[in-house]
Amino acid sequence: MHRRPPRLFPPFLLLIAVLLLTGCGVDGDQAALCGKLIPAFESGPITILGTEALGGDEPALRLTYRAETGTHWIACRFGGRFFDSRRHELVMVATDRMGRLRPMQFTMLRIWAGLPAARLGLPPDTAGPERGPQTDWAPLLFFLQQLINAATVACVYGLLALGYTLVYGILGQINLAMGELTMIGAMLTAMGAAALGMAGLGSLPLAVLGVFATVMAFTAVQGWTMDRLVFRRLRRTHNHTPLIAAVGLSIAYQEGMRLLHGARDWWPAQFLAERHELLSDGAFTVTALTSQAVILLMTGGLYALLWAVMQRTAYGRAHRACADDVGAAELVGVDVDRTVATTFAVGGALAAAAGAVIALYYGGVNFYTGYLIGFKALAAAVVGGIGSVPGAMLGGALLGLVETFWSAYFAIAYKDIVAFGLLTLFLIYRPDGLMGRSRGRGD
């Protein structure tokens, strides 16, 4: 008798089984999207070692990868599965070193990745509250908003430019490692802010002020040590050896911080981030953060304190004497070595203040933070008149205005070119700067 072979699995049941099994695997699009986030945490080449699905109500996966810093993983959670409309909506990101990202870190990561609105987890219309029709006042309000934004940028450049100009005023030499003192100040401030957050003290102004004072004191010691171990030994040389030594110090600080803390960014919690509406025409609102007012007051207070120190103290008189003529100051009994060391310490403290502003207002600090900021602050010092304390603040304000307004009205990609182009014009047509004076020491 002829018997038909049994049908092990009807075709339509096989299709259903395949579809059900796909829901238990890893979505390739989600894995690719999660993989694109890895360069935000690693600077070198990356090799994906494996991908695995994680349990939970929402779909999640974990990528294991190898980088220069070792083997790590990143986990991503999404809003939907294979056939859901929210399958590309990123809900959460965690790493083995940072844990689950805080809301501000998560937002900045999504913006860094350049995800469209649907993948950001935002509704299609992200314009915010409904705005009224544009009025004739809107351009003026936009202009005022850029002035407020420029003030904060000017504080960063001005404080660091003061460090450059104090050292140059007394030695006639540029310390290119000053930007790395800003980086150290920013990194220490970020770590201090993280410690305050874990202790539940992040909202206490006195605790934050204590972090500021500690960081400035530590970086002042770094500046003093820099002079004591390096520049004092090269003070009698009349060539470019001190400049080359400063470049070496800059690289040493960068690489030392990278080896100690890694290449990843630190994202401290924003300080006093309350937003206040100042003016509005219904279409555009001028706003300012509490932190911006605190930064302006802090910068103004430091500038006033520096002015008082330079005008009313023995150190200020010694500094001005050395700036006029080091040899004559030494002949009348001025301790030049101590005055120069104190100047390096004061410059280091001011650089740390600039780093604190970067960490708590802008965020995203790493071992490379001080490089470009340092050169821009040097440009500000030259534009204002290097060697002049008021000129450093004026140059910082001018550079902050130029950079902010260019970014607001023109292509932001060219703002650095404009900043250094301004420096080039001043070096050609007004090498002494706005408030500088001609030097007679051959520097």
Side-chain angles (χ1 to χ4, degrees), residues 197-234:
M198 290 187 290
L201 303 175
S203 60
L204 295 179
L206 288 179
V208 178
L209 184 61
V211 171
F212 279 2
T214 304
V215 171
M216 290 179 66
F218 179 85
T219 316
V221 173
Q222 291 292 314
W224 180 89
T225 305
M226 185 184 297
D227 171 70
R228 185 65 183 85
L229 297 181
V230 178
F231 291 100
R232 182 177 296 186
R233 302 174 184 274
L234 304 175

Side-chain angles (χ1 to χ4, degrees), residues 102-260:
R102 299 194 302 269
M104 178 58 68
Q105 295 172 324
F106 186 44
T107 300
M108 297 304 296
L109 176 65
R110 293 183 298 180
I111 294 174
W112 172 88
L115 300 177
R119 296 191 177 188
L120 285 173
L122 302 175
D125 180 14
T126 58
E130 185 177 352
R131 299 176 182 269
Q134 184 171 347
T135 66
D136 294 337
W137 291 98
L140 177 59
L141 295 179
F142 183 74
F143 180 84
L144 293 176
Q145 183 66 66
Q146 303 316 310
L147 283 178
I148 295 174
N149 297 338
T152 310
V153 181
C155 290
V156 176
Y157 293 151
L159 288 170
L160 184 51
L162 282 174
Y164 279 113
T165 203
L166 286 174
V167 173
Y168 183 84
I170 197 171
L171 290 180
Q173 298 171 351
I174 296 174
N175 179 14
L176 291 178
M178 193 66 70
E180 273 51 58
L181 296 182
T182 297
M183 176 267 295
I184 292 175
M187 294 287 285
L188 292 177
T189 301
M191 288 185 276
L196 290 181
M198 290 187 290
L201 303 175
S203 60
L204 295 179
L206 288 179
V208 178
L209 184 61
V211 171
F212 279 2
T214 304
V215 171
M216 290 179 66
F218 179 85
T219 316
V221 173
Q222 291 292 314
W224 180 89
T225 305
M226 185 184 297
D227 171 70
R228 185 65 183 85
L229 297 181
V230 178
F231 291 100
R232 182 177 296 186
R233 302 174 184 274
L234 304 175
R235 196 163 297 158
R236 305 302 178 184
T237 60
H238 298 283
N239 50 33
H240 297 298
T241 304
L243 184 64
I244 298 172
V247 174
L249 273 176
S250 175
I251 297 174
Y253 273 118
Q254 287 181 17
E255 289 301 301
M257 189 63 72
R258 184 183 67 84
L259 294 174
L260 285 173

